Amino acid sequence: MAGTGRPSRRRTSPRRPKAQRTGQHGRSGPRTPVDPQRKAAYDALRAVDAEDAYLNLVLPALLTERGITDRDAAFTTELANGTVRLQGTYDAILDSVTTGGAESLQPEVRTALRLGVHQLLDMRVPSHAAVATTVELVREACGERPVRLANAVLRRVDRASRQQWLDRVAPSRHDDLTGHLVVAHSHPRWVVEAFTDALGGDLVQVEEALAADNVAAEVTLVVRPGLVAVADLLSGGASPGRWSPYAAVLAGGGDPGAMPMVRAGRVGVQDEGSQLAALALARAHVDGRDTRWLDLCAGPGGKAALLTGLARSRGATLVASERLVHRARLVRSGLRAYPAPPPVVAADATRPPWGDEVFDRVIVDAPCTGLGALRRRPESRWRRRPHDVDDLVGIQRHLLASAVQAVRPGGVVAYVTCSPHPDETRGVVDAVLAARPDVREEDARALIPEVDDLGNGPHVQLWPHLHGTDAMFVAILRRGAH
């Protein structure tokens, strides 16, 4: 069977008599049952690996289904998310302690071992508990054959700290700095290279950005303007947001779905970077009338919900468009708390049902690689490939060109991506500007005066390590006269 390569049998302590063993090595002795928390984390990661599930969707559903709450839910969440975030580091370690490397292991065994390594190297879990429960996960999933391998691998990993393992398995900074960052901060090489380009080669900032991706993001709330105020959230124990006047941070990282205002649709969950992108569009000056706004790629609906409240406060109306029908339903759900919710159109924005020069403001939150939200969707770093960028850039250019065509002269377009990859950001904007001499770019930084350290502009590029937000990109384009 693949994955039966054996690590060294060298021992650091005398072997205990058989009567004293716990049963982790095989069939003898009592076994340690797998608790619901570890089983839920394992099942969630198998769904991510085998079914391309999203961890932020599948894990909460499993917690609810199995009645895992409070501290147990927090443990499960850290176990699953932390394992995915540091998967690259753990696989490099597993490569060094198995004959065929991590990729040769049976998928179920590999998932369990990653969970075990995370507990041993990055969580305050006693070694015996981490090893015993992981071995039982392997036994339940695969039977007896890989049990001895799993036990031996974990005991070898437990002989050193994570930093000691990095010293052994990561390339040296001197010989291959990018390779070192790949292993030390658990990102694919092409992502490290994209961050390096986006940060102008500043390797200190690159390392800070990679490290920030491996820290769990806070749960940030957003009020629907005109329906509820931030003060209502603060009185309930939330903390003020750092930048957005509509943001609050949920204390203790609790479950926002348990909040009545969230269930009613008057409050949503939205990173402050996304809120600031919507605010940049709303704050930009337009010449003449200001009554028709468009969210060109509205799913899942966070920006549309915030912009609806802002538009209505000025007597304007918003149209939300989303190509995929199921995502259009999510947008409608996000708008449900507003009286007479704005229209949601299921349409392909590259072949729009509206005419030219119809809208005063348009926001394009384009489909992208999502490399700016790796704190929240850690599996994206392993799921995406470099060729995805090429595929997406063509779509992004078409969408931005459609937005420019939809806005009237004197109106503005906000181009937004949750990715700092230069091809998805400046590359797209520059290509559209080159094709449209009647369009000019304006200084987006001036529209977000609350935020410091926004660079040279004229666009805004937010970063987790600098601003505590997702790595959102915002460019503001103005349509000129014919």
Side-chain angles (χ1 to χ4, degrees), residues 149-226:
L149 167 69
N151 182 75
V153 165
L154 291 171
R155 292 192 176 281
R156 185 169 182 187
V157 170
D158 193 36
R159 294 173 188 168
S161 67
R162 178 152 72 100
Q163 185 55 56
Q164 289 170 327
W165 277 114
L166 288 176
D167 291 341
R168 299 178 193 177
V169 303
S172 74
R173 288 176 174 271
H174 177 74
D175 295 335
D176 181 5
L177 179 54
T178 298
H180 177 86
L181 297 176
V182 164
V183 176
H185 296 289
S186 189
H187 285 66
R189 179 177 284 268
W190 73 274
V191 175
V192 176
E193 292 170 345
F195 281 23
T196 302
D197 289 344
L199 287 163
D202 185 336
L203 294 176
V204 172
Q205 284 210 51
V206 171
E207 185 154 19
E208 290 175 354
L210 297 171
D213 277 349
N214 292 329
V215 178
E218 296 176 314
V219 178
T220 305
L221 305 173
V222 58
V223 299
R224 310 301 191 209

Side-chain angles (χ1 to χ4, degrees), residues 435-478:
R436 294 295 302 250
D438 61 328
V439 177
R440 69 178 187 272
E441 185 174 4
E442 300 195 339
D443 192 345
R445 298 170 301 167
L447 303 173
I448 312 176
E450 302 94 337
V451 183
D452 303 319
D453 200 7
L454 290 178
N456 297 324
H459 61 267
V460 165
Q461 179 63 71
L462 300 170
W463 289 96
H465 70 289
L466 293 176
H467 310 107
T469 69
D470 290 345
M472 302 294 296
F473 173 90
V474 185
I476 299 294
L477 307 184
R478 181 175 300 279

Side-chain angles (χ1 to χ4, degrees), residues 24-379:
Q24 294 153 197
H25 300 265
R27 296 178 180 276
S28 61
R31 295 174 180 171
T32 302
V34 180
D35 53 276
Q37 300 95 288
R38 289 178 174 85
K39 186 64 166 64
Y42 173 83
D43 289 343
L45 295 192
R46 289 306 308 140
V48 169
D49 287 345
E51 303 167 22
D52 283 341
Y54 291 97
L55 189 58
N56 67 326
L57 299 179
V58 69
L59 183 59
L62 283 174
L63 295 176
T64 300
E65 174 188 309
R66 300 180 186 185
I68 301 172
T69 60
D70 302 328
R71 293 179 64 182
D72 289 341
F75 174 86
T76 307
T77 300
E78 165 53 27
L79 178 55
N81 281 280
T83 298
V84 175
R85 287 190 189 101
L86 296 172
Q87 174 181 312
T89 302
Y90 298 154
D91 282 0
I93 295 170
L94 291 174
D95 285 345
S96 74
V97 295
T98 56
T99 301
E103 285 302 312
S104 73
L105 296 168
Q106 189 174 341
E108 294 83 357
V109 174
R110 184 169 60 242
T111 298
L113 288 177
R114 288 169 177 165
L115 285 166
V117 174
H118 184 56
Q119 293 173 74
L120 289 172
L121 301 185
D122 282 276
M123 296 183 73
R124 297 175 182 174
V125 175
S127 296
H128 70 274
V131 173
T133 54
T134 301
V135 166
E136 287 306 313
L137 279 172
V138 170
R139 178 178 279 115
E140 287 186 10
C142 306
E144 293 292 334
R145 186 172 181 182
V147 163
R148 288 183 178 274
L149 167 69
N151 182 75
V153 165
L154 291 171
R155 292 192 176 281
R156 185 169 182 187
V157 170
D158 193 36
R159 294 173 188 168
S161 67
R162 178 152 72 100
Q163 185 55 56
Q164 289 170 327
W165 277 114
L166 288 176
D167 291 341
R168 299 178 193 177
V169 303
S172 74
R173 288 176 174 271
H174 177 74
D175 295 335
D176 181 5
L177 179 54
T178 298
H180 177 86
L181 297 176
V182 164
V183 176
H185 296 289
S186 189
H187 285 66
R189 179 177 284 268
W190 73 274
V191 175
V192 176
E193 292 170 345
F195 281 23
T196 302
D197 289 344
L199 287 163
D202 185 336
L203 294 176
V204 172
Q205 284 210 51
V206 171
E207 185 154 19
E208 290 175 354
L210 297 171
D213 277 349
N214 292 329
V215 178
E218 296 176 314
V219 178
T220 305
L221 305 173
V222 58
V223 299
R224 310 301 191 209
L227 300 181
V228 67
V230 169
D232 298 318
L233 295 176
L234 302 185
S235 65
S239 303
R242 183 177 178 185
W243 308 117
S244 168
Y246 301 97
V249 177
L250 186 58
D255 177 14
M259 300 176 62
M261 285 186 286
V262 173
R263 291 200 300 269
R266 294 184 294 148
V267 170
V269 178
Q270 186 179 36
D271 180 75
E272 279 197 84
S274 294
Q275 297 180 44
L276 293 172
L279 287 174
L281 175 74
R283 290 169 172 174
H285 171 75
V286 297
D287 300 325
R289 72 156 201 258
D290 188 14
T291 59
R292 298 176 181 176
W293 299 13
L294 171 67
D295 187 343
L296 195 74
C297 305
K303 292 180 183 66
L306 178 54
L307 287 169
T308 293
L310 298 175
R312 289 189 174 187
S313 70
R314 305 182 199 175
T317 59
L318 178 89
V319 174
S321 175
E322 170 55 50
R323 183 177 68 87
L324 299 175
V325 173
H326 73 277
R327 285 173 65 85
R329 293 194 191 101
L330 292 175
V331 178
R332 292 189 185 96
S333 177
L335 299 173
R336 69 189 183 280
Y338 285 106
V344 179
V345 180
D348 181 349
T350 64
R351 296 191 295 271
W354 51 80
D356 296 344
E357 303 180 5
V358 173
F359 297 98
D360 308 305
R361 300 177 190 268
V362 181
I363 190 167
V364 187
D365 185 4
C368 67
T369 55
L371 299 182
L374 297 183
R375 303 177 304 162
R376 302 180 191 279
R377 293 188 288 275
E379 72 278 1

